[in-house]
Amino acid sequence: MNLCELRIGYACINLSLKKKYRTFRLKTIEDYDIEKIKEVVEQNIILLGNIIYHNIKNNIYVYRITADIIPFIDKAEMKSILEDYNILNSNKIRNELERIKKWQKEYGLRISMHTSHFTMLASPKEEVIQKSIGELCAQAKFLHLVGGQNLVLHVGGAYGDKVETLERFKRIIKENQDKLDLNLLTLENDDKTYTSEEIVQVCKELGLKWVYDFHHERCNPSKNSDIIELLRDYPPDKCHISSGVHAPNKPPHADYVEAKDVEALQNQLTLAGIKQEDIVFEAKQKDLSIYQVMEPISEGYWKIKSIQ
């Protein structure tokens, strides 16, 4: 049996380039400091282009954009400023976004974004739900500009009643499917509350994609389904992997991903009959964690250097 082929990527910060995305305080929006906002957004978009160009040159075709690339995009005031001052349509930003989208098509890049922990569609509070919908809409709009495929979301807390919360979550999505981009929305199993099994059930009902987080499954395993059968029955659109700091089933992420964990995930995917998968390394050492245990093949694919 041929092993599942892996395209490997990372999330948000590129440590090799030694440059960080910028932000500003909420007061910047309240004071309508348009020049500051333009400057930060422009520099962030240019850095995004530089990171993706660097990734391609280093055989990395999978990348997760930070949800903070446009600071406070969940705020109504910020969205108004972006629209009123046509910030994303400036020549520099538009050219950079078009360049990224061109690369995405040319190389088949996997570009995604993970919503912030403030995005809580399952909240019992209507104002939180509406704010979350606004954030998801703004992020989906940005992903379209760069050819992104996944807007990743957790269900969130249980709010005292897990069954009721899941039903509310599904109802909110159904009631707002004309606003939410269901082609982008991708649910992920988490390390404390909602298992892979539960996420797959929701995704099946709503017709959504899902992310299989290997480490989260170890911390919070499915109780009634074998993970191989689950992966075979409803293959994930992409995967996340990390290694625990103190123990395999402890949530905190280590600096690097252990080769044995990559091997274990690859074996699971292979046994499930999955031929190819995009994997995001969620390690503190970001892109450097890839080079630690993997070696490039070509066209975005990597193989494990050695098993520790």
Side-chain angles (χ1 to χ4, degrees), residues 2 20 42 70 84 88 137 142 151 173-174 232 234 248 271 281 289:
N2 293 328
K20 294 182 178 180
E42 182 178 289
I70 299 179
D84 294 345
L88 293 182
C137 290
F142 181 82
L151 181 53
I173 289 181
K174 289 176 182 178
R232 180 182 290 117
Y234 204 79
L271 290 171
F281 272 34
S289 67

Side-chain angles (χ1 to χ4, degrees), residues 42-269:
E42 182 178 289
Q43 289 190 19
N44 282 356
I45 301 299
I46 290 173
L47 177 56
L48 173 62
N50 291 339
I51 287 174
I52 290 178
Y53 179 78
H54 175 87
N55 287 348
I56 293 169
K57 293 300 181 183
N58 287 275
N59 200 51
I60 297 172
Y61 288 13
V62 178
Y63 180 63
R64 189 173 91 202
I65 301 172
T66 173
D68 298 320
I69 190 162
I70 299 179
F72 301 106
I73 198 170
D74 60 312
K75 302 289 184 185
E77 299 88 343
M78 183 60 181
K79 284 185 276 190
S80 294
I81 289 172
L82 289 173
E83 294 174 3
D84 294 345
Y85 292 88
N86 213 17
I87 291 176
L88 293 182
N89 204 37
S90 72
N91 288 335
K92 281 187 178 180
I93 291 178
R94 187 176 67 250
N95 289 341
E96 200 65 35
L97 292 173
E98 289 176 354
R99 187 166 72 134
I100 293 169
K101 194 168 189 178
K102 179 183 176 183
W103 287 333
Q104 190 280 318
K105 292 180 179 178
E106 181 178 353
Y107 294 97
L109 304 180
R110 165 80 62 169
I111 297 176
S112 62
M113 183 179 287
H114 198 309
T115 61
S116 75
H117 61 279
F118 296 112
T119 308
M120 298 175 282
L121 280 184
S123 172
K125 297 180 180 179
E126 183 62 27
E127 63 270 24
V128 174
I129 293 171
Q130 292 307 315
K131 181 180 178 182
S132 298
I133 290 171
E135 181 177 5
L136 288 167
C137 290
Q139 291 168 340
K141 185 176 180 180
F142 181 82
L143 278 174
H144 278 292
L145 295 175
V146 295
Q149 300 101 320
N150 302 97
L151 181 53
V152 182
L153 174 71
H154 287 295
V155 173
Y159 300 103
D161 189 325
K162 198 171 175 181
V163 173
E164 181 182 322
T165 299
L166 275 176
E167 290 303 314
R168 181 168 60 248
F169 181 80
K170 291 186 287 186
R171 175 176 57 80
I172 295 301
I173 289 181
K174 289 176 182 178
E175 290 176 352
N176 292 278
Q177 56 187 326
D178 58 328
K179 298 177 184 177
L180 298 170
D181 191 327
L182 301 190
N183 291 319
L184 285 177
L185 205 60
T186 309
L187 304 188
E188 179 185 352
N189 59 305
D190 65 67
D191 57 9
K192 294 178 182 178
T193 309
Y194 297 98
T195 65
S196 300
E197 177 183 40
E198 290 164 326
I199 291 303
V200 164
Q201 289 172 351
V202 173
C203 288
K204 276 186 170 182
E205 182 174 333
L206 299 177
L208 300 178
K209 297 179 287 191
W210 77 293
V211 170
Y212 169 52
D213 191 301
F214 174 80
H215 184 55
H216 290 174
E217 172 68 22
R218 290 195 299 192
C219 297
N220 182 29
S222 300
K223 296 175 177 59
N224 302 307
S225 299
D226 175 76
I227 191 60
I228 305 300
E229 293 302 319
L230 203 63
L231 294 169
R232 180 182 290 117
D233 180 55
Y234 204 79
D237 202 55
K238 69 184 184 103
C239 295
H240 293 169
I241 189 170
S242 55
S243 296
V245 176
H246 305 295
N249 61 346
K250 299 298 181 183
H253 295 181
D255 286 347
Y256 297 95
V257 176
E258 294 187 27
K260 63 183 180 181
D261 290 337
V262 182
E263 183 193 33
L265 173 58
Q266 188 175 33
N267 287 339
Q268 286 183 349
L269 296 169

Side-chain angles (χ1 to χ4, degrees), residues 290-302:
I290 298 174
Y291 311 130
Q292 181 82 358
V293 296
M294 308 295 292
E295 59 180 276
I297 302 174
S298 64
E299 298 181 341
Y301 290 96
W302 296 71

